[in-house]
Amino acid sequence: MTTIPVALGARSYDVRIEPGLLASAGEVLAPLSRGRPMPIVTDTNLAAHCETLVASLAAAGVAAPVLVLPAGESTKSWAQLEALTDWLLAQGVVRSDHVIALGGGVIGDLVGFATSILKRGCNFVQIPTTLLAQVDSSVGGKTAINSRAGKNLIGAFHQPSLVLIDPQVLDTLPQRELRAGYAEVAKYGLIDDAAFFAWCEENADALFAGDPAARATAIGHSVAAKARIVAADERETTGTRALLNLGHTFGHALEAETGFSDTLLHGEAVAAGMALAFAFSAQQGLCPAADAERVAAHLRSVGLPDGLAAAGVTADGKTLVGHMLHDKKMEGSTLPFLLARGIGQTYLDKTVDLETVAAFLDGVR
Ligand code: GLY
């Protein structure tokens, strides 16, 4: 078992990573239950994993009522938040109880937000079942639902009490989702760790082929990077945590253009967005062109989109920049961009001119 601490003072917690952990989760969770039930919230795609978890909890003497929500982004809604909080209240959940989020980013974000407001805040445990949730969204306490005005606009910072990661659950994850999650793995190399990006270039094939050691290294390294960044800047106030948004501003425009739908998954948009952020940095003379090409080549090599065309986006620069203006990261009339001086040298730039970005996008279109 690898244990990675997220050091946040009174809100500190561990991320535990071990192949097969789902089947032995009951032993790990029983001390948190203190004899109380641990409600599980999951989705319709995860019946087998949920059965494993319930059996493991039962073997450890922990009752676990289950709520199964529809799979998919539309579950991050006011309607499902209401259904979930009503269900948790009907279970008699009290503040010191722990609710288990078993699922990908949608379930983790929804359960995280629901527990941040239920009885003014109760505990939750993340058991992420997608690569994206394992390496990014389950760690760090960002929770949210979507609103008519955009994605993740209603939410709270609410840290889990524990994160349990079983890399074996990825064996049943569709390849497309695995690839989308991999974009966030490569992101940690691009942010500030050129050696890890080189590791990704060397080992991505093994990871996609299911090699347990490659998966363990990718997840462990990513979680350690995320834990370090979150510990340094929990609420994204100093600029450190903002580095995790590499590729997200360009990516947000692509997701908006494709209707935040399965046409372009979030991780796919982040991949194309990272390639565009590096290409833009190179065009501005900030980053060597060879580094931008290396980023695009690696993303292409694993089947991720490396720009507008590969993401299936034909809109012009003005339209895409128009989408960026609705990004929740807008600060007044300024939109901070994550740019790069090279691989592993990402930085936050608040001086980017949006007309220059539009012209760049028209150029690469
Ligand atoms: N996914 C970005 C963050 O957690 O800050």
Side-chain angles (χ1 to χ4, degrees):
M1 171 110 61
T2 301
T3 300
I4 297 169
V6 184
L8 289 169
R11 292 177 308 290
S12 297
Y13 54 96
D14 285 340
V15 181
R16 299 199 193 179
I17 307 169
E18 187 177 64
L21 183 53
L22 197 59
S24 59
E27 278 166 46
V28 181
L29 291 167
L32 287 183
S33 83
R34 298 165 301 104
R36 298 267 306 160
M38 296 188 90
I40 300 173
V41 184
T42 190
D43 76 34
T44 44
N45 287 339
L46 297 168
H49 292 325
C50 191
E51 232 173 78
T52 305
L53 179 60
V54 169
S56 173
L57 284 162
V62 180
V66 176
L67 177 66
V68 182
L69 296 174
E73 187 71 25
S74 58
T75 289
K76 276 174 64 169
S77 64
W78 283 111
Q80 294 296 352
L81 178 69
E82 187 178 13
L84 170 54
T85 48
D86 280 350
W87 182 77
L88 291 172
L89 291 171
Q91 299 308 309
V93 168
V94 298
R95 273 186 177 172
S96 54
D97 286 347
H98 290 78
V99 179
I100 299 174
L102 174 70
V106 167
I107 292 293
D109 280 12
L110 178 71
V111 174
F113 185 43
T115 53
S116 80
I117 54 176
L118 194 87
K119 305 224 166 144
R120 299 202 175 94
C122 63
N123 305 306
F124 80 119
V125 173
Q126 291 266 23
I127 306 188
T129 56
T130 64
L131 182 58
L132 191 139
Q134 292 186 345
V135 300
D136 183 26
S137 61
S138 67
V139 179
K142 278 191 179 175
T143 75
I145 58 168
N146 302 327
S147 89
R148 264 190 295 275
K151 268 183 75 172
N152 294 330
L153 293 181
I154 314 291
F157 285 96
H158 182 49
Q159 300 293 344
S161 308
L162 180 67
V163 181
L164 300 183
I165 297 180
D166 180 351
Q168 267 175 15
V169 301
L170 302 180
D171 293 348
T172 51
L173 192 70
Q175 277 287 314
R176 186 178 174 205
E177 286 219 32
L178 195 65
R179 268 201 302 274
Y182 176 78
E184 303 277 1
V185 173
K187 183 184 79 177
Y188 292 108
L190 296 177
I191 289 174
D192 64 358
D193 191 345
F196 183 59
F197 186 71
W199 182 92
C200 288
E201 290 174 311
E202 284 285 308
N203 294 280
D205 286 350
L207 185 151
F208 283 105
D211 180 76
R215 286 190 177 175
T217 302
I219 295 167
H221 200 96
S222 299
V223 168
K226 176 117 192 208
R228 172 174 46 81
I229 290 170
V230 167
D233 181 18
E234 182 183 8
R235 289 184 167 242
E236 207 169 307
T237 48
T238 66
T240 303
R241 186 163 182 168
L243 296 175
L244 295 171
N245 296 329
L246 174 63
H248 284 60
T249 301
F250 284 105
H252 175 86
L254 306 183
E255 283 184 280
E257 183 60 24
T258 48
F260 294 101
S261 67
D262 286 354
T263 307
L264 190 67
L265 301 178
H266 176 68
E268 293 168 341
V270 167
M274 292 192 300
L276 287 167
F278 269 78
F280 180 70
S281 301
Q283 193 221 43
Q284 296 298 298
L286 302 163
C287 157
D291 280 17
E293 182 41 43
R294 199 175 138 199
V295 173
H298 180 56
L299 297 172
R300 267 196 310 276
S301 78
V302 299
L304 282 166
D306 64 346
L308 293 183
V313 170
T314 54
D316 63 11
K318 191 170 170 216
T319 305
L320 293 173
V321 165
H323 291 312
M324 290 177 188
L325 299 178
H326 297 287
D327 193 308
K328 66 181 176 311
K329 295 183 284 299
M330 279 293 289
E331 293 176 5
S333 58
T334 306
L335 182 56
F337 274 79
L338 277 305
L339 300 183
R341 298 193 177 88
I343 288 171
Q345 297 174 64
T346 295
Y347 70 99
L348 187 66
D349 191 324
K350 295 192 176 182
T351 65
V352 175
D353 171 43
L354 291 176
E355 283 184 15
T356 309
V357 175
F360 158 76
L361 290 168
D362 282 333
V364 295
R365 198 167 155 220

